[in-house]
Amino acid sequence: MSAPTGNRSTVTEREAREVAEAARERVWHRPSFAKELFLGRFRLDLVHPHPMPGEESVRRGEEFLAKLRAFCEAEIDSARIEREARIPDQVVAGLKELGALGMKIDPRYGGLGLSQLYYNKALALVGSVSPAVGALLSAHQSIGVPQPLKMFGTQEQKDAFLPRCARTDISAFLLTEPDVGSDPARLATTAVPDGDEYVLDGVKLWTTNGVVADLLVVMARVPKSEGHQGGITAFVVEAGSEGITVEHRNAFMGLRGIENGVTRFHRVRVPAAHRIGPEGAGLKIALTTLNTGRLSLPAMCAGAGKWCLKIAREWSAEREQWGKPLALHEAVGAKISFIAATTFALEAVLDLSSQMADENRNDIRIEAALAKLYGSEMAWKMADELVQIRGGRGYETAESLKARGERAVPAEQMLRDLRINRIFEGSTEIMHLLIAREAVDAHLSVAGDLIDPAKSLSDKAKAGAQAGVFYARWLPRLVAGAGQLPSSYGEFRHGVDLSTHLRYVERTARRLARATFYGMSRWQGRMETKQGFLGRIVDIGAELFAMSAACVRAERLRTRDEHGREAYQLADAFCRQARVRVEELFGRLWSNTDDLDRKVVKGVLGGAYTWLEEGIVDPSEEGPWIADATPGPSAQTSARRPYGG
């Protein structure tokens, strides 16, 4: 029998939704290309001409990339990191010396002050040689102490912590708990006010960098009391504080060098001056930080795509089957075409989103989320196709290949390492829901009260009047547009005609908006339960965004005489592949097995099919599904191992 799990909190679906909704950034102060896309408005002017970085930004960025490349080639032994499941201390020391810990930190605090664009290029570069090192740098800067302090910290906090983060200290972000994942309403770690301090108690799980960190960003619940509004709150915590124990260093199927652990807090005293923002603002700070922080994952996914393309090209030209190179067999060639075209598109999505983040002209919360979702899914597919192209050698480890005299190509490691990106920083399923919520925000803003059972009849009547005005203006605009005019987007015709793809995007954006409206009309308040439908809506939007980015990037490269002809070919190939996927997704909006799947799931959970599980032996060992996270002192020796300590 499994032991019962202690300290389990019960939160209703409505309460969980209210917590998540309260953390959302509800106001749109700047335009959003992706938001408009989901509303059926193809605002090409928001992304074309492609935004460009300034000369000084490029100079500093390229100068650092050159140093980082030299360091990666000379100092990072990916095979050793995989073999020993550790990043050597001297590698981290070298990264500190380069300034890699402070790539995005302002020079006034000792950082390099790189743009988001070049920060992502650096992550793609270092992640290609070692995804574990990429994860170390990304977790430290994208979600660790530097980013939330940059956006929400006081001047005193910036002065105290940013110089350390820029040069010497590793940081980590602690939100997840053994029984709390993407549902923060059930957060159990507490921060009880005590004079000018807070006392932290609780357990955090999957603390990337937590084993080696010097500084932590910790999310904890402050109880509501006199003088304290309470709520989930963010704190900067010294990792070496009394009462903090790293109880376990986790091991995973991939990213074997990652320093990810379980951290227990027992009566840890944190100065009130180390609280980031007001009480109750922790989730909003976390989500706002992730708006751009999420771009680090697609950066490494784009780098992985480039590596997959390189290996696929070299191997399939060398390997012969039935009298001709492997690449010339259509079944293999289709895979290589997919890898090449998708790599081009992923870099296009990444560069466009990054530069928009740098310019701060557009709200990129949906673009960044789409980049993370699309990048993680497509990179995994590219790595899977590379393993298939390599055949048995793709499944064989690099160490084994080397031992028997062949090139040590870590294709299977790449597949394992990339798998986590579909889970990190919001799983694909959670990203679908997050993006879908933003995609239907305009509808809920005008008609939300109509489908809210808690609202009064007068509220519903008022919402009905507002909705009538909105839809009377909005729906007619979804009937016709520039996508129906053969002359539209003519500036994208240069040998290869990309204008036809942009016209498709414009037409399909309107079609997508109509489908979303039909779904809301059909299911109303039950719309949020139709996760299959919402996921396909989001996936269509992701494809349209990627198509737009690919075309805009191709035109930018053409105007700058940088492989323009080849870029147009890749953009054309990607758009044609994407259109096939889009049409399949539209077909599955209304023709699917969603209802039947729900019935089967009820049968599975009810035990109706346990007979199907007969005839096997389960090798799993006994134990609780979720570890006990009851607050209290630790009975274990700390596994904390700060670099150089």
Side-chain angles (χ1 to χ4, degrees), residues 615-627:
I616 63 165
V617 174
D618 181 1
S620 307
E621 297 184 9
E622 288 295 315
W625 286 104
I626 301 171

Side-chain angles (χ1 to χ4, degrees), residues 409-429:
V409 178
E412 60 83 29
Q413 180 191 335
M414 178 63 74
L415 191 64
R416 288 187 287 104
D417 287 345
L418 283 171
R419 185 59 181 83
I420 187 57
N421 291 328
R422 299 173 65 199
I423 301 171
F424 259 167
E425 296 182 21
S427 69
T428 290
E429 293 72 24

Side-chain angles (χ1 to χ4, degrees), residues 476-490:
R477 296 174 183 172
L478 302 182
V479 177
Q484 293 164 288
L485 301 175
S487 60
S488 296
Y489 315 114

Side-chain angles (χ1 to χ4, degrees), residues 179-261:
D179 197 31
V180 179
S182 298
D183 182 9
R186 302 169 68 240
L187 196 80
T189 298
T190 59
V192 179
D194 184 14
D196 292 333
E197 297 178 317
Y198 290 84
V199 181
L200 270 61
D201 284 278
V203 179
K204 295 294 185 179
L205 177 63
W206 296 324
T207 61
T208 299
N209 288 358
V211 178
V212 297
D214 304 286
L215 291 170
L216 313 171
V217 174
V218 181
M219 295 293 168
R221 185 183 302 280
V222 177
K224 190 172 184 178
S225 62
E226 184 177 352
H228 294 275
Q229 66 180 39
I232 297 174
T233 306
F235 299 89
V236 178
V237 181
E238 297 280 358
S241 299
E242 183 178 353
I244 297 180
T245 305
V246 177
E247 295 192 325
H248 180 70
R249 180 180 186 251
N250 301 317
F252 303 99
M253 67 181 285
L255 291 183
R256 289 180 176 167
I258 195 173
E259 298 289 351
N260 180 294

Side-chain angles (χ1 to χ4, degrees), residues 104-124:
K104 289 184 66 181
I105 297 176
D106 194 290
R108 81 178 85 167
Y109 304 111
L112 299 181
L114 296 186
S115 64
Q116 183 73 38
L117 179 69
Y118 274 94
Y119 170 66
N120 286 337
K121 287 181 182 294
L123 288 179

Side-chain angles (χ1 to χ4, degrees), residues 179 475 491:
D179 197 31
L475 284 171
E491 67 269 32

